[in-house]
Amino acid sequence: MSATVSSPVCSRQPSTAHSPAFRALVAGLDALATGSGSAAELRGDPGSGKTWLLSALADEAHRRGIRVLRGCATEYQSASPYHLVADAFANPLGDRSGAPATADPAALVRTLAYGPFNGPDTAAAPRTDQGCEFLRAVNGLLRDWSQDGLLLIMDNVHWADPDSLKVLDYLLRQRITIPLYLVVAQRPRQAAPRLRGTLAQGVEQRTVRRIELAPLTRRQSAALVGMEPDAPLLRRLHRESHGVPLYLNALARVAARAGLTEQSASAEPIPVKAVPEELAARLLSETGALAPDELLVLQACAVAGSPVDSRVVSHVAGLDDQRTCEIIDTLNARDLLRTTDEDAPGLVFRHPLLRRAIYDDLAPCSRIKAHRRAAGARATLGAPDHEVARDVERFAAQPLPEQAALLHRAAHQVLATDPVTATRWLRLALQGLPAGPERGQVLLTLATALASTGALAESDEILLELLDAERAAPAGLRSAAVELGARIRAALGHYVEARSVLASGTGADPLRASDGDGGEHVAVLLLQGFIDLLAGRPPAREEVDEALRLAPRTADPANLAGAYAMDALHAALTGDTARAGAAADRAAEAVDQLSTAGHPEYLAAVGWSELVLGRPASAERHLARGEAALRATGQGYLRPVFLLGLAFSRIGLARLDEARATAAAAEAAVAESGLECGLAKTVASVSGVLGALTDRHGGPAAPLVSQNGHWSTLARLWLAEAAQLAGDHQLGLNLLSPVATDPTLPQLPPPVRPRAHELLAGASAFRGRPAAVWALQAAAAAAAGPAHDRAFALAAEAHLARQNGASGRAAALYEEAADLLESTEVLWARAWTLANAATCLAESDGAWRAEPLRARAEAITGRAMVPEPVAVPRILGAPLPHRPGEEPAGRARSGAALSVLTDREREVATIAGAGLRSREVAERLHLSPRTVDVHLNRIYRKLNITSRSALVRLMAERS
């Protein structure tokens, strides 16, 4: 029999009471109480907690008065015959009262093995003529000692001597008929083949219980280190420790020394400057038995890194390839190296901490020489520059020009995925470069890498240094530095200075460019438009027009796509709705045909224009594509621009939980990126509002967004949409009130005003405030607009009708609005109007039509429904009330009326009152439809009602 269980929960004050592994082990002690014997195999990787579990098991046996023998094999004594058996018999634990006549069983074992005058420490050879007699003697000893129950623990059996393994093999092949509990603990990867086979046979025959220590679960890891299971740091610790308690504890101590807190979130590994001394000593002890050339190869592997390349290791160790491969196979067999589980086979260290301990144990001078040899080997083998650079940085404190050039190339290779490493290499490269174009190129790349890590201020300083020092630099270098400097200034919130950098750096006015001027002027115009986007204002019309005039003459699709994108953004934000729709279509087609690796900002402009125009699905597609392209261009600091837009698009698509997660990611990206523009100041408020709205357990009041151009006003609008979806109408009013001082809403871009009017009409109606002015304004604003604007006007009119008690007319208006929205991307509005239509139908004797509308609304949102039609809006957060200030008729008497029903009749009334047909009620209650109809007739009679719609209203009032 075999059981795979997670390793024990090893807290700082260990408790085995709830450990599955410990319970499985203790089952053998329980059997001893009945006079039965058994055997168990405890398997686990190094550091998984085997020895700790065995100690706890021994303590439990001692507490029960059970005698304990415990032997532990060591690698140093693996050649000493019968050492493990002698060690066990030499260390009896527990109460020795009533011991049998054989007072010194260990002496007997040594006598049988070596003769009466020899021992394991003498030069005499062990006796080989008494194998059967020896096994019978050991068996007799165990029989004598187990009269009152005996626990025999054999630990580290993977290092046991061959003779002791024969004894264990002998014992395990027999069915244990005496009160003996034999526990064998070993590392599965290093287990002796013969014993492994015997144990497997015992598991198959159910004479051996196998207990495998799986890696800790995240919850067990949390208990071990005293953190919350969902804490970001705990997730990192759990992942990097591989769930092994030994490494988890060590990494937790390293993290504490590094000042990391539970909320320290990062994709970077825990910064291990040095392996804790006690762990390093334990890990290095495994290398003590290695032959000199084996240790040399292991150290070479530590220098070369994972995965192990035998060709590089051979060069570093100074051995021939064949000998190196033989030793690597030996290290693999000893579980110091392991085969990877990935598609590309290879060898890695058992754990990174083992590699680090071996690497740190090397003398500094030896490390430097080894890295120099490794760099030479990689270069000879044609390895990528970034692999060679990892060795170069270890020995080239003052790199030569060719080494500096290699470091620069390597930094370019890793910039998109590892800007921190790229920054380190670039700083080192600068140590070996004098002033000149090469140094200027490295400074430009360093500024890009720093911006990607969020060090925007330092990036800005380096660019200023570059522009001051390299006035005679090539035009391409200078223009690239100017453009990056303008982006960084804008990201820091210095919009005027960003434009000034562009003007002074290029030395030309792009608005006065001649027909023959190239794409540089178009690039400047488009960058100015993007600066305006970061500032929360529309691009300047004259600059957009000039970009549209010049872009076709450059024969560059990217310039044309950028010009179209800025044109669409300007039109969307300034109110030319008809032009904006056509411009957005043209821009989307252009960027869809463009490789955006170099211009993700064009996707931002298109995505945000589509958001304003009520196209959240298209916006999500373009913004997601742009966000994915950012890191490849070294512009990770702009991720919040895309993530915030993605959060708003997911509100429009009625996916509030995703919107909340995306806004939280945007908030984290702001903290990482150093972004300080107007958008960055909006992100935290957006994340807070969405967090409060979607927190099912409630939360503190969300902060309101501070005023800051279009970022603030548009954020208020989309958050009000989320509030409407969540049923928090007061929050919707609070969010929109700063922009609603004038009923025409001049602070909002014209394309979104019908949306805002509908939101204000609905929130006002449901809060008992006058809604007529907003309904009228919605109708006026939507007069010449697209279909979804007319739908918003109808929905606003429906809110007003419902406020005035005309539920039937309101339902018709909601349905008409939903029909208009059917072909649009505005899913939140479609779900909202369908839900309201269903509720109004339930209020106006149309309950039989409410259920299909409810189902359509639920299909859009994907959120759970409660059965009652009146509660349909609960999929959006809260039930809709009846007319403000009015208590629904009959609510007080409905609860009392139901008391006349039997339990079964109440079940039928509850389900049928939700609008379900008799067949559906029958399926839920496992009745026949005929029986349901009989119950319904009785319910109508008892409640003095005449129809199912009346029952629906009654049940709705009760809810």
Side-chain angles (χ1 to χ4, degrees), residues 520-576:
E520 182 178 346
H521 294 291
V522 178
V524 171
L525 289 166
L526 297 179
L527 183 51
Q528 287 173 337
F530 187 65
I531 291 171
D532 290 334
L533 172 62
L534 292 179
R537 59 180 180 240
R541 183 71 256 174
E542 64 273 17
E543 293 175 357
V544 173
D545 288 340
E546 186 67 4
L548 288 171
R549 183 180 75 86
L550 292 175
R553 297 168 184 166
T554 65
D556 185 348
N559 286 337
L560 196 59
Y564 289 162
M566 295 304 167
D567 182 38
L569 183 63
H570 177 274
L573 292 176
T574 56
D576 190 345

Side-chain angles (χ1 to χ4, degrees), residues 142 295 328 342 665 670 714 868 945:
L142 292 176
L295 180 59
I328 287 176
E342 293 147 2
V670 167
L714 289 173
E868 297 85 359
I945 57 178

Side-chain angles (χ1 to χ4, degrees), residues 897-910 935 938-939 942-943:
L898 294 183
S899 64
V900 302
L901 303 180
T902 65
D903 291 342
R904 174 62 80 181
E905 288 168 349
R906 274 196 292 272
E907 288 179 329
V908 172
T910 299
H935 282 303
R938 292 173 181 168
I939 291 167
K942 290 182 179 181
L943 298 182

Side-chain angles (χ1 to χ4, degrees), residues 254-265:
V254 169
R257 292 169 187 166
L260 301 182
T261 67
E262 286 194 44
Q263 300 307 313
S264 298

Side-chain angles (χ1 to χ4, degrees), residues 828-846:
W828 71 268
R830 200 189 316 167
W832 174 246
T833 52
L834 287 169
N836 277 285
T839 303
C840 289
L841 287 171
E843 294 172 348
S844 59
D845 292 332

